[in-house]
Amino acid sequence: MALGVRPPDFVLANDDDALLKVRVDVREPMGAEVYLHVDGPWGPLVVRTEGNEPAREGDMVGLRVPDEAIYLFDGETEENVLV
């Protein structure tokens, strides 16, 4: 089995709901949104957040994945088994 998550599906979470904690490398304001460039255990990732998100460079933030954004693939057939 292989777990799949698309990078845009990660969302910020409080400590109780976080799947993992990552460090913010760059905060990129884009008007109504802010892109947080973070360094995760798998490498760099960009998280899209609301424009009022207070996280800054160097902050640790929690990430989670909504249930509907999780994919589980069969290792042999490569089909999503959560359909």
Side-chain angles (χ1 to χ4, degrees):
M1 293 287 179
L3 179 70
V5 177
R6 292 185 174 98
D9 291 333
F10 283 95
V11 295
L12 294 182
N14 63 38
D15 286 343
D16 294 336
D17 295 332
L19 174 66
L20 62 138
K21 299 277 280 185
V22 294
R23 181 178 38 86
V24 176
D25 288 333
V26 176
R27 182 181 195 276
E28 184 178 10
M30 302 295 285
E33 299 176 330
V34 171
Y35 296 152
L36 299 177
H37 299 252
V38 302
D39 187 20
W42 55 85
L45 177 72
V46 179
V47 180
R48 184 175 52 211
T49 68
E50 298 292 323
N52 60 356
E53 172 56 45
R56 299 282 186 249
E57 288 89 352
D59 288 352
M60 295 297 291
V61 296
L63 297 181
R64 68 176 182 82
V65 179
D67 292 343
E68 63 274 9
I70 296 174
Y71 301 90
L72 188 60
F73 298 99
D74 181 283
E76 291 182 22
T77 67
E78 298 182 358
E79 291 182 14
N80 184 4
V81 298
L82 297 178
V83 181

